[in-house]
Amino acid sequence: MIMKYLHTMLRISNIKSSLKFFCDGLGLKEVRRMEFQHDRFTLIFLSAPNDIDAELELTYNWDGDNLGENSRNFGHIAYRVKNIYETCEKLQNIGVVINYPPRDGHMAFVKSPDNISIELLQEGNKLEPKEPWLSMKNND
């Protein structure tokens, strides 16, 4: 049996803040959007510009969802980035808290507006550790 990865689905509470995080912050692109009037929900599919086959499906229920205070039981979504320092700085500049800074030049964790953990991994070799990341504390 041949299988192909299709997507990961996340429930979101606010389309605008989620797209700001995933598109403006992480650089994903909206691939398509489907609105289901009768069932009152919207599906938004995103992908990394260089990996259009792997998608992230954001599900927005028009009448709301009880997403809870802590989504850590989901685990996390991981993305490889060209420059972890530039990515974290860009996210900080749009108001995202860096929960686990890239002190080692290789790995960081941030959270989406719906408290979903996103792991960022440096492409290739680790970058040389540098400030302000080196001395930055975790924000759990």
Side-chain angles (χ1 to χ4, degrees), residues 4-120:
K4 178 182 176 183
Y5 172 80
L6 295 178
H7 64 264
T8 297
M9 184 278 266
L10 301 176
R11 294 187 191 284
I12 60 171
S13 60
N14 183 289
I15 290 175
K16 184 177 178 180
S17 63
S18 293
L19 291 180
K20 180 178 179 183
F21 176 81
F22 287 106
C23 295
D24 297 346
L26 291 178
L28 299 182
K29 303 293 181 200
E30 186 172 330
V31 177
R32 67 188 177 282
R33 185 182 296 217
M34 299 183 302
E35 307 242 339
F36 295 85
Q37 299 286 330
H38 182 266
D39 294 315
R40 304 186 49 73
F41 70 94
T42 301
L43 300 180
I44 302 168
F45 290 86
L46 310 175
S47 69
N50 59 344
D51 192 9
I52 60 171
D53 289 331
E55 294 180 328
L56 178 61
E57 173 191 321
L58 303 179
T59 299
Y60 175 71
N61 288 306
W62 301 355
D63 299 320
D65 255 329
N66 181 4
L67 300 179
E69 288 296 315
N70 190 347
S71 296
R72 289 192 67 104
N73 61 337
F74 167 79
H76 65 269
I77 299 170
Y79 290 101
R80 184 176 303 125
V81 298
K82 291 278 185 195
N83 186 304
I84 197 160
Y85 297 138
E86 289 175 6
T87 302
C88 286
E89 182 177 7
K90 181 178 180 181
L91 288 166
Q92 270 189 325
N93 288 341
I94 65 168
V96 174
V97 173
I98 308 301
N99 295 93
Y100 183 91
R103 289 185 286 271
D104 63 356
H106 176 69
M107 181 178 68
F109 276 90
V110 298
K111 286 189 180 176
S112 78
D114 291 301
N115 208 27
I116 297 162
S117 290
I118 310 294
E119 179 183 20
L120 304 173

Side-chain angles (χ1 to χ4, degrees), residues 80-82 105-106 121-127:
R80 184 176 303 125
V81 298
K82 291 278 185 195
H106 176 69
L121 296 168
Q122 173 62 41
E123 181 177 87
N125 295 328
K126 293 180 179 182
L127 299 182

